[in-house]
Amino acid sequence: MSQIEFKHHMAAHCESGTVAALLNHAGLEITEPMVFGISSGIFFGYFSKMPSLTFPTFIVRNKPGQMRKNIARRLGVKFATQHFSSPEEGKKELDRLLDQNIPVGVQVDFFYMNYLPSWYRVHINMHYITVVGKNEDKYIVSDCYFPQLAELDIDAMQQGRFARGNMAPKGFLFYPVSVPKEIDYPKVIRKGIKNAIFFMLKTPVPFIGIKGIQRFSKKVVDWPNLARNEEHLSHEIMKINVLLEDQGTGGAGFRYMYATFLRQSSEILNNPELLAMAQKMMEIGDGWREISLFAARIGKNRDMGPERMKELSHMIYERSIVEKEFFTQLNKIKI
């Protein structure tokens, strides 16, 4: 049995948690909220029904893989990355790196993580874990959604790394090969915040940022006309709760994590204005959580008539107002 000495920690989200853990192992002390904030993880996008999307949906973070890329660019971290066309070659390279005592981040289909209970697992190709060891028939992995290091069957790892479908992993793996000795925190925090402000406030794309939240509020009242039946509509309405709370977000569509980033930034930079903004973002997150609970309740109870959908629409539109005010004010702070 071969196992790398690796500090396992649970985290709010798989990508930010995995990146933070790998960087800490490589000698760069950084928290998960710092990874999230510096990489401009906070985001919003609303996507209408289209040939490749059977029902409208929304996202509350930048696209998978972007946190790692933004962190690398802004901090000066160099990651080695690889995709594989052959499962055998992907396994061979992973095993070679483990033999060199290198913990490796991999992208997998969440469904095949069989150390988790079956009722919890769904097919999502954008899950990240860290592989830290191997014995005869299992890999030893650090998954931020599991309380301790876990064992994963080798066959399950292969299935997860080479699952097909949307955002197929294709055996993707990554690990840091160099990290900076010092970080210019004012500079990288400023870049992270300014980039987030651009996407939330200034992008001309009509379904991104504040415009995306407004579109969501307008379009959600039409969801009953797009659903196949009441059961389908109930599923999609309840999925609002899943997207905001359950898919590794740390709650309220990453708004709580962003508040923590701003609080930690205020401490690092001794900037009380950022601390005040952190409190405001917590309150914004509370509003998103109210939407989560409302959507879960009306979906479960099949109480999805026109008045309830209008109420949901109003709650979402209110978020667009407060987030526009928030990012406008954040843009005025000198860091």
Side-chain angles (χ1 to χ4, degrees):
M1 179 175 178
S2 174
Q3 181 176 334
I4 299 165
E5 187 175 340
F6 186 87
K7 288 186 178 180
H8 170 77
H9 295 284
M10 296 189 73
H13 182 260
C14 64
E15 184 175 355
S16 52
T18 298
V19 169
L22 286 170
L23 292 180
N24 275 276
H25 182 83
L28 175 59
E29 293 187 10
I30 190 167
T31 67
E32 181 190 7
M34 273 288 145
V35 168
F36 181 77
I38 291 171
S39 66
S40 308
I42 195 165
F43 191 81
F44 195 92
Y46 180 81
F47 302 96
S48 300
K49 182 179 178 181
M50 60 185 76
S52 60
L53 191 64
T54 59
F55 200 86
T57 191
F58 64 94
I59 58 175
V60 288
R61 54 148 294 184
N62 55 11
K63 66 181 182 179
Q66 199 62 45
M67 290 185 198
R68 183 195 76 255
K69 293 176 183 178
N70 286 353
I71 278 291
R73 184 169 63 252
R74 290 172 188 163
L75 297 188
V77 173
K78 183 177 180 181
F79 286 102
T81 63
Q82 283 182 272
H83 284 96
F84 302 89
S85 57
S86 163
E88 292 75 19
E89 287 300 313
K91 179 179 180 297
K92 182 179 179 181
E93 178 63 8
L94 175 59
D95 293 349
R96 185 187 72 82
L97 292 168
L98 293 175
D99 286 340
Q100 293 184 12
N101 215 40
I102 299 173
V104 184
V106 297
Q107 180 183 345
V108 295
D109 181 345
F110 186 68
F111 179 81
Y112 295 104
M113 304 300 99
N114 56 22
Y115 46 83
L116 296 166
S118 58
W119 55 264
Y120 186 63
R121 292 182 277 130
V122 294
H123 284 290
I124 299 175
N125 274 337
M126 294 86 73
H127 186 55
Y128 294 91
I129 60 175
T130 304
V131 189
V132 300
K134 184 185 178 184
N135 55 34
E136 289 185 1
D137 59 353
K138 295 181 185 294
Y139 284 103
I140 302 165
V141 305
S142 174
D143 187 326
C144 65
Y145 300 159
F146 199 68
Q148 64 265 338
L149 292 176
E151 292 186 337
L152 178 65
D153 296 339
I154 290 177
D155 288 345
M157 175 70 83
Q158 287 295 89
Q159 288 177 300
R161 290 184 66 202
F162 291 91
R164 298 182 180 182
N166 186 38
M167 301 290 289
K170 298 180 181 178
F172 180 72
L173 61 77
F174 69 100
Y175 55 95
V177 294
S178 67
V179 299
K181 293 182 178 180
E182 295 182 357
I183 298 175
D184 184 348
Y185 273 106
K187 179 179 179 180
V188 297
I189 288 172
R190 185 186 308 114
K191 284 186 176 181
I193 289 176
K194 293 300 182 182
N195 190 242
I197 289 169
F198 172 79
F199 281 107
M200 291 301 298
L201 205 60
K202 301 179 179 182
T203 178
V205 183
F207 51 85
I208 297 298
I210 304 303
K211 296 183 182 72
I213 302 175
Q214 292 172 344
R215 176 167 289 203
F216 183 21
S217 71
K218 179 180 178 181
K219 297 292 187 180
V220 75
V221 294
D222 296 328
W223 280 19
N225 299 325
L226 301 175
R228 296 187 301 272
N229 49 41
E230 184 181 62
E231 186 69 23
H232 181 208
L233 179 61
S234 170
H235 170 78
E236 297 295 341
I237 293 294
M238 292 178 70
K239 199 160 73 173
I240 292 174
N241 177 277
V242 173
L243 293 172
L244 288 172
E245 304 294 336
D246 296 339
Q247 289 195 358
T249 68
F254 288 98
R255 271 52 187 170
Y256 291 152
M257 196 194 297
Y258 199 68
T260 304
F261 158 68
L262 293 173
R263 177 180 59 78
Q264 292 180 356
S265 296
S266 75
E267 295 169 356
I268 292 172
L269 306 179
N270 192 25
N271 188 322
E273 289 182 284
L274 289 178
L275 182 60
M277 296 305 291
Q279 181 57 43
K280 289 184 178 181
M281 181 51 77
M282 285 295 292
E283 294 168 0
I284 288 173
D286 290 343
W288 281 111
R289 177 148 287 177
E290 289 178 8
I291 291 172
S292 300
L293 296 174
F294 182 82
R297 184 172 67 251
I298 66 173
K300 181 178 180 181
N301 296 334
R302 306 298 195 270
D303 183 15
M304 304 170 292
E307 291 306 313
R308 285 288 181 265
M309 298 305 293
K310 288 180 182 178
E311 190 174 352
L312 177 59
S313 172
H314 176 75
M315 294 172 72
I316 296 169
Y317 185 74
E318 188 180 59
R319 292 303 89 200
S320 74
I321 295 174
V322 296
E323 291 216 358
K324 183 175 182 179
E325 293 174 350
F326 173 87
F327 284 103
T328 299
Q329 185 176 351
L330 184 61
N331 192 38
K332 295 177 181 178
I333 294 177
K334 293 182 179 181
I335 303 171

